[in-house]
Structure formats: C-alpha cells, structure tokens
C-alpha cells in the first residue's frame, strides 16, 4: 500500500505531522497544541524546526499514524474518539486531508522521512508574555502567573529559575522563531497565533507586516487564513494597531478566549476588564466587520451555568452569530473538569445544557435562519464528555480543589463561593 492508501484506512492518522509544527513558549515542538504537555518531539532550545521535522521521534510518529498505531501524546483525541462528534484529529483531517495534501503524504519515505520541510500551517507561541492570570492557566503560558505560582506552591525565586516558571521565549535567542518562520511565509496557508497573549507580542506584528510586504494577504488563487486565540483585552501594541493590519487581509479569524462574562470573567480570568472586552467587540463590529469573530470558551463545571447565560446575552446583542461559540472541554486542572464532579451535580448541569438547547430551538425562524448545528453538537459533546467517567457520589480530585482554590482565594483576597453561588450545593457537599 502507498502511504496515502494507508492514511485513508488508518484510524489514528492525523494530517498535522505532514504539514504543521506547533512551537510552545518554552520551545517545545509538537505536532499540535493538544499534544500532551509532558511530551514533545523536539525543542527549539536544542534544534531547528527543520532538524526536528525529520528527527527520529517525528519519523516514528508518521509511521505509527500510517499504520494505525495510537500515539501516546495524542491521548486527548484517542480518549475522546467515539465520545464526541469530532475530535481535534477529525477536525484537522476535515480541514487539511484533501487532494492538496495527497502528494505530500505519498512522498513519505519508508523510514517516515518527509523530504521537504514546507509548512502549510504554523502555530507560533513566541513567548509566555500575558497580562492575565486565569484560574486554569499557569506560568508556562502567562508571565502574570509567576509570582502567585511561587506563593501557591511555596517556591523560592531560585526554584522558579530552575524551571519554565519565568519569562521564556521559544528559541535559543529571542528572534529565532521569527527567522525560522520567515522562510515559510511566502506559501503558508494558515497561521495560528496564541500565547501568552499574541496581541502583546511584537513578532506577531512583524509577521503581519512581512506578509503584507510579500503580497500574501489571501486570495482565491493563493489562500491565507490567519487565526487568533486572544484574551481580547487590547488591540494595539506601541505603534502597531491590530485592526489597521487586519483590514489588509482577506481571512482573519478571532477566537476570543472568554471563559465567563461580567464579574465572573474578571474573577476566573484575573486581569480582565469586562467593559473593555465589550468595547473592543463593538469597535471591531464598526471598523472591521469582515473579521470572523468567535468565542473560544473553555468549559469546566465552574463556568457551566454562566456559559449558558453568556451565550444567550451575546446572541441577543448580536455580538456573535449562533454558531460562533466554540466550546473547548477542559481536562486539566482535573479538579475543574466536568468529569470530576458527583453524578447528582452532573445531572443539574445537564439540565442547564438541555434548557439551552431548547432556547436555541425556539429561535428557529427569522431570528435564527441558520440552525447552529455546530453549537448543538458541542453542547451534546460536553454532556457525553461529562458522563464518560462514572464519578458516582464522589468529587474526584476534591483535595486539590480545596487546597488550591482556597489558597489562591487567600492570595488574591477573593471568594470562589461568593462569586459562584450557583455551586453552593458543592460547597455544602464538601463541608467547606
């Protein structure tokens, strides 16, 4: 069988190792951003992207995927297969496993080598610079977390310096990632900017300027799609105005990482100013209406109720389209995961989700001419994901919740239970 024939029949095949490289803030290189955090296939601190492209780990991964062997680092997709409508792997193959990539796959040599290092899709995390300190994040992806992480885990400054819990950039030197990306910019088809916070990173703006200089801003003949995962707290950096640059591209996609609304957003994603988020959304509608704007909502049991209210509010205000609310299912920290709560609490959250589906159904017609199938699927995926572990009458990982949540509240002078009164039943269950 040819490599392409194998790819078409393999249940573990993912197109990404043939067209894509993910580069994390500490320099870890992986086939995608959902690859397990404690695994990698290389590091820019030691090798170039081109060297990693055909190192032993990458070649073996390609062979395993062609031969139907499950790759351990792809555990999130492996576990969710058959539970959700589509895994990240399914979505990747839907988007990129097309006739355009068939020849690339067939060029795979017997040892897994892919002779040409030509990235069609790039995911660049320049550094961990970020102005927020979200409850589900940490210093690996946010510099704002560094001091509190040390307090939370009783670390000294020296302890932090020995780890990645400091400001870090992806290469051996700060400009390395831009220099390595630059050679791929003339033909890249998709770029994903995340962070840290990408709109705080000057190299991201340098990439946009370079693409404009090259005349590669996206056409029907030569497409380019640029995607962001941004906290949407600021739209400029020094001389750079993001909106002015976005106007020059055909396909800009903003995935605003907003995991709650109003005061809950300001608690859950510390540093958020909700009024500024709303102002930025209204400004984008006025000045750059062609930008595709979506919410990227990381769902835990904590923000499950608020998600339903948030979705309804922004639909009614016409800040988003009905199918432009992306739900990411949180796996870690495990004490915030939907799978960890007792079954009786899952049943309550399930009712909230089903009520939201009913609300969406009632809007069929002039209010909602296009039925949001994707949103419905994501809600039902969340329900299936939640029940995929039988927690019974137990709160799994409750020790971590009680220890970390209360200590972080003390450090920040906040109160989780006052901010989320809808979870008073959990408070009583845990005898807090």
């Amino acid at each position: 069988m040819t490599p392409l024939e194998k790819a078409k029949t393999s249940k573990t095949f993912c197109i990404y190792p043939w067209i894509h490289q993910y580069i994390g803030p500490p320099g870890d290189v992986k086939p995608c951003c959902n690859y397990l955090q404690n695994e990698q296939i290389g590091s820019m601190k030691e090798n170039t992207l081109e060297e990693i492209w055909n190192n032993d780990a990458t070649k073996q991964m390609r062979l395993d995927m062609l031969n139907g062997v499950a790759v351990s680092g792809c555990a999130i997709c492996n576990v969710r297969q058959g539970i959700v409508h589509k895994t990240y792997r399914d979505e990747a193959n839907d988007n990129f496993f097309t006739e355009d990539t068939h020849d690339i796959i067939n060029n795979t040599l017997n040892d897994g080598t892919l002779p040409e290092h030509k990235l069609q899709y790039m995911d660049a995390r320049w550094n961990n610079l970020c102005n927020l300190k979200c409850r589900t994040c940490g210093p690996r992806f946010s510099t704002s977390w560094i001091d509190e992480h040390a307090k939370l885990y009783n670390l000294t400054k020296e302890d932090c310096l020995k780890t990645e819990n400091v400001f870090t950039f992806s290469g051996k030197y700060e400009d390395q990632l831009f220099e390595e990306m630059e050679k791929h910019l003339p033909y890249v088809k998709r770029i994903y900017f995340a962070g840290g916070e990408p709109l705080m990173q000057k190299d991201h703006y340098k990439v946009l300027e370079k693409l404009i200089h090259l005349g590669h801003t996206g056409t029907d003949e030569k497409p380019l799609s640029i995607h962001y995962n941004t906290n949407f707290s600021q739209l400029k950096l020094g001389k750079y105005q993001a909106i002015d640059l976005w106007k020059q591209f055909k396909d800009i996609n903003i995935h605003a990482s907003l995991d709650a609304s109003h005061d809950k957003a300001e608690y859950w994603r510390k540093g958020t100013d909700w009024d500024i988020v709303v102002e930025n959304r209204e400004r984008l509608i006025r000045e750059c209406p062609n930008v595709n704007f979506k919410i990227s909502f990381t769902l835990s049991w904590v923000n499950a109720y608020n998600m339903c209210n948030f979705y309804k509010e922004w639909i009614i205000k016409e800040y988003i389209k009905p199918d432009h609310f992306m739900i990411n299912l949180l796996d870690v920290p495990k004490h915030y995961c939907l799978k960890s709560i007792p079954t009786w609490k899952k049943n309550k959250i399930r009712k909230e989700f089903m009520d939201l589906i009913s609300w969406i159904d009632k809007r069929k017609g002039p209010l909602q001419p296009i039925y949001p199938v994707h949103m419905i699927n994501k809600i039902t995926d969340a329900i299936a994901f939640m029940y995929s572990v039988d927690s019974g009458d137990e709160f799994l990982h409750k020790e971590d919740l009680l220890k970390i949540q209360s200590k972080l509240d003390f450090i920040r002078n906040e109160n989780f239970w006052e901010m989320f009164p809808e979870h008073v039943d959990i408070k009583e269950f845990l005898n807090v």
Side-chain angles (χ1 to χ4, degrees), residues 353-364:
F353 290 169
M354 295 307 297
D355 287 347
L356 178 58
I357 290 176
S358 296
W359 183 86
I360 293 171
D361 285 340
K362 290 176 183 177
R363 289 176 59 83
K364 287 180 180 177

Side-chain angles (χ1 to χ4, degrees), residues 134-137 145 148-149 151-153 267-268 332-336 397-412 414 416-417:
C134 307
R135 290 267 172 161
T136 56
C137 194
W145 247 106
E148 288 187 356
H149 181 81
K151 293 177 183 177
L152 194 59
Y153 295 100
Y267 173 95
W268 196 237
V332 291
K334 291 183 178 180
H335 53 274
Y336 292 139
H397 313 289
K398 64 181 179 181
E399 295 80 8
D400 290 336
L401 174 73
L402 295 173
K403 179 181 178 181
I404 296 172
Q405 190 67 54
S406 60
K407 190 170 183 179
L408 194 53
D409 272 351
F410 176 79
I411 292 170
R412 296 183 178 181
E414 295 176 334
F416 174 86
W417 306 108

